Amino acid sequence: MKQRRPKRRRAAPLALRGMLAKPPDGFYRLPEFSLRGGCLATDGCRRVLDLTPEKICLDMGGFLVTLYGTSLRIESLCGKRLLLAGRFTGITFQEKWKGTRHEA
């Protein structure tokens, strides 16, 4: 009876290795946004700071998110989940404690 040699494991390619790596600390505590049609769903919203039909400012924990558009409104708010509707034209992120602003 032949003896089987143990299979040698090959290292994963570099691109694949990065995809399978452990995410950075705090990754799963980051807020989540998803835009579908005229609805934007957020998960992780602590409070609504400002609400007008042209601008909505949200406290997302470590940073502030300001959404711009027309006919913006809150469809539902349940815990930290928020559903917004309207026509979105822009979004800015601002670090809460440092005052740094990022636009998307």
Side-chain angles (χ1 to χ4, degrees):
M1 185 166 169
K2 282 188 176 180
Q3 229 180 25
R4 286 188 172 193
R5 279 193 255 167
K7 288 186 180 182
R8 293 180 68 190
R9 292 183 180 235
R10 289 188 221 167
L14 288 177
L16 185 59
R17 208 177 296 165
M19 289 173 52
L20 300 175
K22 178 183 170 191
D25 291 336
F27 177 80
Y28 292 107
R29 289 189 303 246
L30 291 175
E32 183 179 319
F33 297 92
S34 104
L35 181 63
R36 292 186 184 170
C39 291
L40 180 113
T42 68
D43 194 9
C45 178
R46 291 189 176 182
R47 65 182 67 95
V48 177
L49 300 174
D50 188 18
L51 174 63
T52 66
E54 294 81 30
K55 177 176 107 172
I56 297 176
C57 186
L58 307 173
D59 179 354
M60 302 299 282
F63 58 96
L64 305 176
V65 175
T66 306
L67 302 156
Y68 299 95
T70 55
S71 303
L72 301 180
R73 64 192 179 280
I74 295 175
E75 290 290 317
S76 72
L77 175 61
C78 180
K80 291 187 176 185
R81 293 175 189 249
L82 178 67
L83 182 63
L84 304 168
R87 187 172 189 280
F88 298 95
T89 58
I91 184 170
T92 60
F93 300 88
Q94 182 177 358
E95 290 182 41
K96 202 177 208 180
W97 313 116
K98 295 181 184 178
T100 307
R101 191 176 199 148
H102 306 282
E103 294 189 20

